[in-house]
């Protein structure tokens, strides 16, 4: 540092040069700080009423800025679409975790706070997608563009210090009644020196095959049935509802490619005949037929199912009649299925012990 006395003895030209250097250093430092910035960008999407659309949130940096974690608030119009905390998922390539919480909600809007966090290590994020959220457009949503507003945008460096100059860019969900699928251009094939090739058309992938695979496809009421299928509308954790005819019997979610599977129970009161099992999200995306069969004929009083009513079977039936054993321990003696064993049903079991199980006479 120059003292005033030393400065007064410097030539005027040197003083002007020192002042210019000081201004230049200040300008360069301000420019460098300004060049280092980060932007959290909310993407946009287009969808039909009653359908779901994906919106991806991305990060972009400049000036060599390093960002290891972000937080932003996202506000949307509730009457046109919905979004739950489980509907957002982090980009696996970031190596981070995503936490989502609702911070404010009114009758018309909802604000959610989303954290992209570093748990064990804090490597810098690369520019690109941070996370994706699946918005469910209301079936009653009118056509139009609904904004996705970013109200808070913060970023933090690998040391945990907050990064200055972080901004956010909002997006939107456009609701339309006509959705034109995007066309994937066919790849250009370079012909070999001896073979002339022409570009082959890109095969069209059925986004939602309508057939639902059931295993087994027939069984008794109460049977456990495994089902599986593939549909783009339930990809990446989106939910579908499973119905047996018009009765909801479960839900299902798909993986990244839209493959889904699960197990359902056939209702115990299902009548004999053909029934439809279908997946809805939000419309029917797959259907399969299930045949409810007639239970095999049983011999009243044959507790162990060996087609013979023995003395042990009769004693077990009496134990059930007295209430000292559950009806399930000898279900065949309860011919009318009312959960109790009557005298007539016991006498019917005795008749079968004497006359055999085939043919089975009606209870006395």
């Amino acid at each position: 540092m120059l003292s005033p006395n030393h400065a007064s003895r410097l030539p005027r030209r040197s003083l002007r040069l020192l002042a210019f250097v000081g201004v230049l250093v200040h300008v360069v430092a301000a420019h460098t700080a300004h060049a280092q910035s980060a932007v959290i960008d909310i993407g946009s999407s287009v969808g039909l009423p009653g359908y779901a659309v994906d919106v991806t949130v991305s990060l972009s940096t400049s000036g060599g800025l390093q960002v290891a974690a972000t937080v932003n608030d996202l506000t949307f119009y509730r009457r046109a679409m919905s979004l739950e905390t489980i509907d957002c998922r982090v980009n696996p390539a970031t190596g981070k975790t995503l936490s989502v919480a609702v911070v404010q909600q009114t009758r018309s809007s909802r604000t959610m706070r989303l954290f992209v966090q570093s748990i064990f290590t804090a490597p810098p994020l690369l520019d690109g997608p941070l996370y994706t959220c699946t918005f469910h457009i209301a079936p009653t949503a009118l056509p139009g563009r609904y904004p996705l507003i970013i109200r808070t945008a913060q970023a933090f460096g690998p040391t945990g210090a907050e990064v200055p100059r972080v901004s956010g860019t909002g997006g939107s969900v456009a609701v339309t009644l006509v959705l034109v699928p995007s066309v994937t251009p066919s790849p250009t094939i370079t012909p070999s020196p001896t073979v002339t090739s022409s570009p082959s058309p890109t095969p069209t992938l059925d986004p939602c095959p309508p057939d639902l695979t059931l295993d087994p496809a027939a069984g008794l009421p109460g049977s456990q049935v495994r089902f599986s299928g593939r549909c783009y509308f339930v990809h990446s954790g989106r939910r579908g509802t499973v119905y047996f005819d018009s009765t909801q019997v479960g839900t299902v979610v798909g993986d990244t490619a839209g493959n889904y599977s699960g197990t359902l129970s056939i209702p115990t009161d299902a009548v004999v005949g053909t029934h439809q099992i279908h997946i809805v999200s939000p419309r029917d995306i797959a259907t399969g037929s299930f045949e409810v069969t007639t239970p095999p004929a049983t011999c009243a009083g044959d507790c162990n199912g060996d087609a013979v009513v023995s003395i042990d079977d009769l004693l077990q039936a009496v134990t059930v009649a007295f209430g000292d054993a559950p009806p399930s321990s000898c279900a065949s003696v309860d011919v009318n299925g009312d959960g109790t064993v009557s005298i007539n049903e016991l006498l019917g079991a005795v008749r079968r012990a004497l006359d055999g199980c085939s043919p089975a006479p009606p209870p006395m």
Side-chain angles (χ1 to χ4, degrees):
M1 177 71 69
L2 294 175
S3 66
N5 292 333
H6 288 128
S8 62
R9 290 197 296 270
L10 289 174
R12 182 173 299 177
R13 180 182 178 186
S14 298
L15 290 175
R16 287 199 297 266
L17 182 60
L18 287 174
F20 175 76
V21 170
V23 172
L24 182 63
V25 169
H26 176 75
V27 170
V28 170
H31 176 75
T32 301
H34 180 70
Q36 288 190 325
S37 61
V39 177
I40 300 175
D41 177 63
I42 309 297
S44 298
S45 191
V46 181
L48 303 170
Y51 281 68
V53 295
D54 285 342
V55 174
T56 298
V57 178
S58 303
L59 172 71
S60 60
T61 59
S62 60
L65 180 65
Q66 291 189 335
V67 173
T70 65
V71 57
N72 68 272
D73 287 357
L74 175 62
T75 300
F76 62 91
Y77 187 53
R78 289 182 61 207
R79 295 181 180 177
M81 66 191 96
S82 64
L83 179 69
E84 303 299 331
T85 56
I86 62 173
D87 292 330
C88 295
R89 51 211 174 272
V90 73
N91 175 14
T94 63
K96 311 290 183 176
T97 62
L98 178 68
S99 297
V100 188
V102 178
V103 294
Q104 186 178 7
Q105 181 167 297
T106 66
R107 294 183 62 183
S108 60
S109 67
R110 168 178 280 192
T111 300
M112 306 182 77
R113 183 161 293 165
L114 300 105
F115 299 88
V116 177
Q117 304 174 94
S118 295
I119 301 298
F120 302 108
T121 59
L125 287 161
L126 298 177
D127 286 5
L130 292 173
Y131 58 86
T132 298
C133 293
T134 300
F135 287 83
H136 299 270
I137 302 174
T140 56
L142 293 173
R145 187 173 296 276
Y146 297 91
L148 303 176
I149 304 170
I150 184 167
R151 299 193 179 278
T152 298
Q154 292 178 281
F156 300 85
T159 64
E162 184 174 357
V163 173
R165 297 181 180 85
V166 179
S167 59
T169 303
S172 66
V173 171
V175 179
T176 180
L177 300 182
V178 179
L179 191 61
V180 180
S182 58
V183 178
T184 302
S186 301
T188 302
I189 301 176
T190 303
S192 62
T194 57
V195 180
T196 302
S197 302
S198 59
S200 59
T202 301
T204 301
L205 178 64
D206 183 356
C208 197
D211 295 329
L212 184 65
T213 301
L214 302 175
D215 181 25
L220 301 174
S223 299
Q224 297 293 305
V225 179
R226 295 180 295 275
F227 64 89
S228 61
R230 177 180 59 81
C231 184
Y232 176 80
F233 298 125
V234 292
H235 80 91
S236 302
R238 295 178 178 178
R239 292 187 295 271
T241 306
V242 186
Y243 285 91
F244 178 87
D245 292 337
S246 59
T247 302
Q248 181 177 341
V249 292
T251 58
V252 68
V253 296
D255 61 14
T256 304
N259 298 301
Y260 59 88
S261 62
T263 303
L264 63 92
S265 296
I266 301 299
T268 56
D269 59 351
V271 299
V272 174
T274 303
H275 299 264
Q276 299 298 314
I277 296 175
H278 51 119
I279 313 293
V280 176
S281 178
R283 59 174 179 84
D284 277 3
I285 61 175
T287 303
S289 296
F290 185 86
E291 187 75 19
V292 174
T293 57
T294 304
T298 59
C299 183
D302 177 17
C303 300
N304 59 9
D306 62 356
V308 175
V309 179
S310 65
I311 297 297
D312 289 339
D313 291 332
L314 292 176
L315 291 175
Q316 183 64 30
V318 171
T319 304
V320 173
F322 286 165
D324 295 330
S328 60
S329 65
C330 190
S332 64
V333 75
D334 182 14
V335 177
N336 60 9
D338 63 356
T340 61
V341 177
S342 66
I343 295 297
N344 286 342
E345 288 171 330
L346 285 176
L347 293 176
V350 173
R351 175 70 61 83
R352 287 160 179 74
L354 296 173
D355 297 339
C357 283
S358 181
M364 298 177 61

